[in-house]
Amino acid sequence: MPFLSRQSPYDVCIVGSGAGGGMAAYALTQAGATVVLLEAGPLWFSTENSRMLEWAYQSPRRGAATKDHEFGEFDGSIGGFELEGEPYTKAPGTRFDWWRSRMLGGRTNHWGRISLRFGPYDFRRKSIDGLGDDWPITYDDVKPYYDRIDRLIGLFGSNENLPNEPNGIFQPPPRPRCYELVVKQAADRLNVTCIPSRLSIITRPLNGRSACHYCGQCGRGCRTNSNFSSPAVLLRPALATGKLTIVPNAMAREVTLNDRGLASGVSYIDKTTGQDQHVAARVVVLAASALESARLLLNSSSSKFPQGLANSSGTVGKYITDTTGTDMAGFIPKLTDGLPHNEDGVGGMHLYMPWWADNKKLDFPRGYHIEVWGGRDMPSYGFMGGIQNYPKGGGYGAGLKDLYRHYYGAVVGFSGRGEMIPNDDSYCEIDPDVVDRWGIPVLRFHWKWSDHEVKQVKHMQDTFEALIHEMGGTLMWKKPGPDQDYGIAPGGRIIHELGAARMGADARTSVVNPNCQAWDVKNSFIADGGPFVSQADKNPTWTILALSMRTSDYIADQMKKGAL
Ligand SMILES: Cc1cc2nc3c(=O)[nH]c(=O)nc-3n(C[C@H](O)[C@H](O)[C@H](O)COP(=O)(O)OP(=O)(O)OC[C@H]3O[C@@H](n4cnc5c(N)ncnc54)[C@H](O)[C@@H]3O)c2cc1C
Ligand code: SF4
């Protein structure tokens, strides 16, 4: 397949091939544009490269994590919180961890596939509680695009008519597993809403892709393309148009300008040779992930834009957020000695708990959802978290084997994932003293959780404890207290970083307009999580995809009208 054919200047240059960049490549090539896509990592297609079908015993590591595969040896990711030769720095006192993908498709190859629409309230939170900012667009502006990606990519779920968890165009969800039924019973008794999860995994054939066969190995990348990844679902059809050129191992350095102050293309380093290259295009779309795109803008300074490109408002790098998170697991005696049976299902939860409570009755704003885990998935290194942590755990020989059989599947876990409100102390900027291996200045992070988030996480831990007790269980480890901020994960750890190039109705306080078009440079767009005004208590990727499709429609329309 010809991945690189020189047709410069292209109509559009896209930087990054993850959720945002993949969707832009798909939508723009469908609209007839010639597109060049610069991707910092190598080519990777799950059909050829996934290790979905390997058994743990086939490797001497038994699936244990490696430096390059932090989520396990077989995981379909190339990237991590630390990348050799690509540092980032933190202001004194800051704890922030930045996950970066370096592969075709970015994080969509091994993401959790939880695919939640933002609800109507999520676009206008300031109007509701006075905190943060409203988006300049509403749910109704995005709804047609959510509908289109539901049909194009596919996901399972159930229509529940909840006020802020919109219905979708869902395929049938898989049935709950045994432990999930126990969770559901407890949640019902505590009046915590518990419904089928919404994951972009197809349970029925769709657009030439086969339905899931329930091997439970989604994180390795799906060889049958039954879950969503950008290369399989978006880039393959984009390549089939003959309009897409993918340049792998191309690390974008900066957006270049012409003498009219418009973007003229992107300069990049060919990582295979170390040489600087340039690609010319009429329009530039940044989709390198929210913070990496901000880095590119800040590094694209010039005499016309000394503060960096699209940064006349001074807000590039500001208003960054991550999802709040904390976890707890419970040992549930009634799940011990379970009858051996196949519980594989999809690679992810079959049930989840969307936000159910009323913030007016609580001491913190904004909600969270609860992700559920447990069961009897394929054993590998670190299986069950260490038998010594169970009551009467440990031993040798036949007794040890019996203990494993006794406890297998008796632990159920909960992960809270909630909404952070942007604050003035959480932002990124260029570190004036540090560059990466190619001499590109790196980001320096500043981060602080406010009381809002800490109180929310305390509520998560209290809810987990109540659920575990309701199931007749005990906590697997000590509940974190105020000295640990109730166990809130460090900023960046939930890997939902958003903001840094927020959209707005006013060019003085935002980077892009409601079409994700830079106010200052009309042929530059952002198609990742950068333009998000707020987090919501939802995982962000379905909204990144919807906004990228909406932006791409706008670009195609403007190009046809000769306005770009
Ligand atoms: C383990 C894990 C689980 C997750 N689970 C979920 C989930 O269940 N639901 C959900 O909604 N979200 C989830 N996420 C988050 C989700 O993956 C991201 O929101 C989404 O992939 C972001 O898309 P993106 O296009 O902005 O960035 P990415 O997917 O990160 O893609 C960015 C691409 O840009 C490339 N790039 C970066 N810099 C440059 C440069 N200078 N030049 C050229 N290319 C560059 C990178 O190599 C990468 O391929 C998860 C993430 C992880 C890691
Ligand atoms: S569980 Fe389904 S979607 Fe996930 S890897 Fe297996 S077949 Fe693919």
Side-chain angles (χ1 to χ4, degrees):
M1 199 172 297
F3 288 107
L4 178 54
S5 64
R6 298 271 171 205
Q7 301 175 24
S8 191
Y10 295 86
D11 291 331
V12 183
C13 173
I14 300 171
V15 180
S17 62
M23 177 55 82
Y26 173 85
L28 287 163
T29 51
Q30 295 290 322
T34 56
V35 173
V36 61
L37 191 151
L38 303 180
E39 168 50 54
L43 297 177
W44 203 91
F45 288 95
S46 49
T47 324
E48 291 94 53
N49 302 108
S50 160
R51 300 178 71 184
M52 180 176 104
L53 298 174
E54 283 181 50
W55 294 99
Y57 60 72
Q58 285 177 278
S59 159
R61 299 187 63 83
R62 303 287 191 264
T66 67
K67 204 163 157 236
D68 295 334
H69 290 88
E70 293 190 24
F71 297 118
E73 179 184 8
F74 303 114
D75 189 68
S77 68
I78 304 173
F81 285 109
E82 304 295 333
L83 299 179
E84 209 177 323
E86 298 192 53
Y88 54 94
T89 63
K90 304 165 201 183
T94 283
R95 174 86 202 266
F96 184 84
D97 298 321
W98 186 20
W99 177 278
R100 287 160 300 161
S101 220
R102 292 289 181 264
M103 66 194 301
L104 191 73
R107 289 173 275 177
T108 66
N109 293 302
H110 62 116
W111 67 313
R113 301 153 300 279
I114 301 169
S115 301
L116 304 175
R117 297 180 180 208
F118 280 22
Y121 307 156
D122 295 323
F123 291 90
R124 47 183 296 274
R125 285 289 179 189
K126 185 176 185 185
S127 300
I128 297 171
D129 64 17
L131 297 168
D133 265 297
D134 286 345
W135 291 58
I137 54 176
T138 66
Y139 175 72
D140 289 339
D141 293 313
V142 191
K143 180 180 182 301
Y145 296 92
Y146 283 132
D147 288 351
R148 277 169 63 184
I149 61 169
D150 284 5
R151 288 195 184 94
L152 173 71
I153 296 173
L155 76 169
F156 67 74
S158 60
N159 286 325
E160 303 283 342
N161 301 318
L162 297 169
N164 199 41
E165 321 294 326
N167 291 342
I169 300 157
F170 296 122
Q171 294 194 342
R175 283 183 303 171
R177 303 153 169 115
C178 173
Y179 73 94
E180 288 170 322
L181 288 170
V182 177
V183 170
K184 168 81 176 142
Q185 288 164 357
D188 286 352
R189 286 195 295 270
L190 294 175
N191 291 321
V192 176
T193 307
C194 185
I195 59 174
S197 56
R198 298 171 175 186
L199 305 189
S200 51
I201 294 171
I202 50 175
T203 55
R204 300 288 182 273
L206 180 74
N207 299 330
R209 292 157 55 211
S210 340
C212 172
H213 57 267
Y214 305 116
C215 73
Q217 299 302 331
C218 287
R220 298 178 176 199
C222 182
R223 286 187 91 93
T224 56
N225 297 334
S226 310
N227 64 24
F228 169 69
S229 74
S230 164
V233 182
L234 300 173
L235 296 177
R236 283 268 190 219
L239 284 166
T241 65
K243 302 264 178 197
L244 175 64
T245 301
I246 296 176
V247 189
N249 300 306
M251 182 74 190
R253 182 191 288 280
E254 68 175 299
V255 179
T256 54
L257 291 183
N258 63 21
D259 50 14
R260 289 176 295 140
L262 292 174
S264 59
V266 177
S267 70
Y268 66 93
I269 297 113
D270 177 344
K271 287 166 63 179
T272 55
T273 63
Q275 299 294 308
D276 269 80
Q277 302 284 351
H278 182 262
V279 67
R282 285 163 62 195
V283 169
V284 169
V285 176
L286 298 184
S289 78
L291 304 178
E292 200 76 62
S293 290
R295 178 183 175 207
L296 269 165
L297 290 175
L298 292 169
N299 278 330
S300 302
S301 56
S302 58
S303 52
K304 186 168 167 60
F305 298 112
Q307 300 189 85
L309 199 68
N311 195 21
S312 62
S313 65
T315 54
V316 173
K318 303 280 168 43
Y319 308 108
I320 62 174
T321 55
D322 186 24
T323 292
T324 58
T326 192
D327 312 305
M328 178 53 75
F331 169 62
I332 315 296
K334 69 177 154 198
L335 289 173
T336 54
D337 292 320
L339 203 62
H341 65 286
N342 184 345
E343 269 198 349
D344 279 353
V346 303
M349 61 199 182
H350 291 188
L351 294 178
Y352 91 117
M353 299 169 215
W355 181 233
W356 70 97
D358 180 358
N359 289 100
K360 289 197 208 82
K361 298 180 186 153
L362 297 166
D363 64 349
F364 60 91
R366 315 291 169 91
Y368 60 89
H369 70 264
I370 302 176
E371 301 172 7
V372 180
W373 38 278
R376 301 160 167 251
D377 50 2
M378 185 167 74
S380 65
Y381 180 87
F383 168 50
M384 289 168 57
I387 193 83
Q388 71 280 6
N389 296 318
Y390 290 71
K392 288 189 280 169
Y396 297 93
L400 180 62
K401 286 183 188 170
D402 284 345
L403 275 181
Y404 272 114
R405 290 191 188 101
H406 174 66
Y407 288 129
Y408 186 28
V411 168
V412 173
F414 299 105
S415 297
R417 299 288 182 252
E419 177 166 2
M420 169 192 181
I421 297 167
N423 65 56
D424 290 344
D425 297 317
S426 300
Y427 61 96
C428 59
E429 61 189 347
I430 294 297
D431 187 318
D433 301 318
V434 183
V435 295
D436 67 13
R437 67 166 76 170
W438 303 286
I440 308 174
V442 309
L443 285 182
R444 174 167 62 194
F445 290 98
H446 301 251
W447 191 266
K448 231 180 230 173
W449 294 117
S450 77
D451 273 359
H452 299 318
E453 287 84 36
V454 174
K455 286 178 178 163
Q456 184 194 71
V457 160
K458 176 181 184 307
H459 192 270
M460 292 179 192
Q461 285 289 348
D462 292 343
T463 307
F464 301 158
E465 184 177 40
L467 284 163
I468 289 166
H469 287 166
E470 193 61 38
M471 290 189 284
T474 50
L475 304 188
M476 283 294 286
W477 58 85
K478 193 168 172 286
K479 193 176 159 189
D483 53 320
Q484 296 165 281
D485 283 343
Y486 302 100
I488 192 167
R493 270 281 148 180
I494 309 300
I495 322 182
H496 288 169
E497 69 284 355
L498 297 173
R502 73 169 180 176
M503 72 160 76
D506 184 344
R508 289 166 306 178
T509 56
S510 56
V511 179
V512 294
N513 69 19
N515 292 310
C516 300
Q517 178 179 33
W519 288 110
D520 299 344
V521 191
K522 72 170 187 174
N523 66 343
S524 295
F525 294 81
I526 316 255
D528 50 31
F532 278 50
V533 180
S534 60
Q535 264 277 350
D537 51 38
K538 325 281 193 310
N539 315 49
T541 309
W542 220 239
T543 303
I544 293 176
L545 287 160
L547 290 179
S548 174
M549 186 186 247
R550 184 170 176 270
T551 295
S552 303
D553 269 13
Y554 176 78
I555 294 171
D557 177 64
Q558 294 295 298
M559 285 184 115
K560 276 183 197 134
K561 290 178 178 153
L564 280 175

